[in-house]
Amino acid sequence: MSNFIAGMPASTERTLGSSLAEDSAKNALFDFYRMSACISHELGIILPQLKMRLAVAESCTSGLLAAAITQISGASNWFEGGILSYSNEIKHNLLGVEEKVLKTFGAVSAPTVCQMAGGVCSVTKSHFGLSVSGIAGPNGGSGEKPVGTVFIGLSLPKNFAGLRTKIKLKKGQAFKNGMEENWLKSCQLMKHVYLKQESKTVVLGAFETKARHFLFDGDRESIRQSAVLMALYFAYENLIN
């Protein structure tokens, strides 16, 4: 797993990392439910076209990601379910996260969320996995991993790139009309402000996985909401690109 960590590039310069940009990203959280509903609705348009089903594995968000997804009517057509893996034992026993990974890198790490994402796909027989593990605070932080540290993992089938090129995806009507364009731009801004690193893609069994490392600020709830929004946006970006 050491090669995985070595493959994580240094954080890029934040050309928009001004106080104004940061304030805009933070203010976006006041519209958490509308923003999460907007992206979840779009996932509900895209995933059926790809004939794919989504599953999630959550730690610090404690089911908030699944709740954001299922606020959309008809989510059962593309959302399989999720596993709330708060303890390391559940991460290992249900999701198959290797004990050496948990011991070496910790529960809040890129290798762990990648194995969580791949594991939830295997357990639920889903095509697409999202995972979240982080330190929402107010306790539990350290110098290496302060409060607000969150890793988000994503898992897709190894043949997804080829499948994606064969399908011309139709976007949701709200995005076509520009009605929710501001919410998507808010997520893009949040990613720019809070993203620290993104890993290279690694193959785990039948899946390709990768992770993003964020450092959010705010209280416990705002950190959890930020994690959910960035997980949904991570999914959206990888499905349309």
Side-chain angles (χ1 to χ4, degrees), residues 32-86:
F32 167 71
Y33 289 102
R34 188 170 180 182
M35 289 174 67
S36 61
C38 173
I39 303 179
S40 295
H41 177 267
E42 192 67 9
L43 293 179
I45 298 293
I46 295 171
L47 284 168
Q49 295 177 67
L50 296 167
K51 298 181 180 179
M52 295 175 65
R53 294 182 68 81
L54 170 67
V56 299
E58 302 183 63
S59 187
C60 66
T61 47
S62 306
L64 187 61
L65 177 56
I69 291 169
T70 54
Q71 68 181 307
I72 300 301
S73 178
S76 59
N77 293 325
W78 52 275
F79 181 62
E80 194 68 34
I83 293 177
L84 176 54
S85 54
Y86 213 70

Side-chain angles (χ1 to χ4, degrees), residues 151-230:
F151 286 85
I152 299 171
L154 178 147
S155 178
L156 285 166
K158 285 190 290 189
N159 65 344
F160 177 72
L163 171 66
R164 174 65 187 85
T165 59
K166 297 178 182 178
I167 299 177
K168 186 176 181 181
L169 294 176
K170 298 177 182 178
K171 294 186 178 183
Q173 196 64 41
F175 281 143
K176 283 183 180 179
N177 295 339
M179 294 167 57
E180 305 293 354
E181 185 179 358
N182 55 326
W183 308 121
L184 191 60
K185 287 182 177 178
S186 293
C187 283
Q188 291 171 336
L189 181 58
M190 287 180 65
K191 173 191 168 184
H192 183 84
V193 171
Y194 294 122
L195 179 64
K196 303 296 289 183
Q197 292 174 318
E198 179 168 332
S199 74
K200 290 183 177 180
T201 300
V202 296
V203 176
L204 295 176
F207 299 95
E208 291 184 344
T209 68
K210 57 183 174 180
R212 283 178 175 172
H213 170 200
F214 291 90
L215 181 59
F216 302 116
D217 60 10
D219 59 17
R220 182 178 180 84
E221 191 57 24
S222 66
I223 290 170
R224 283 156 42 93
Q225 290 179 349
S226 295
V228 167
L229 287 175
M230 289 297 94

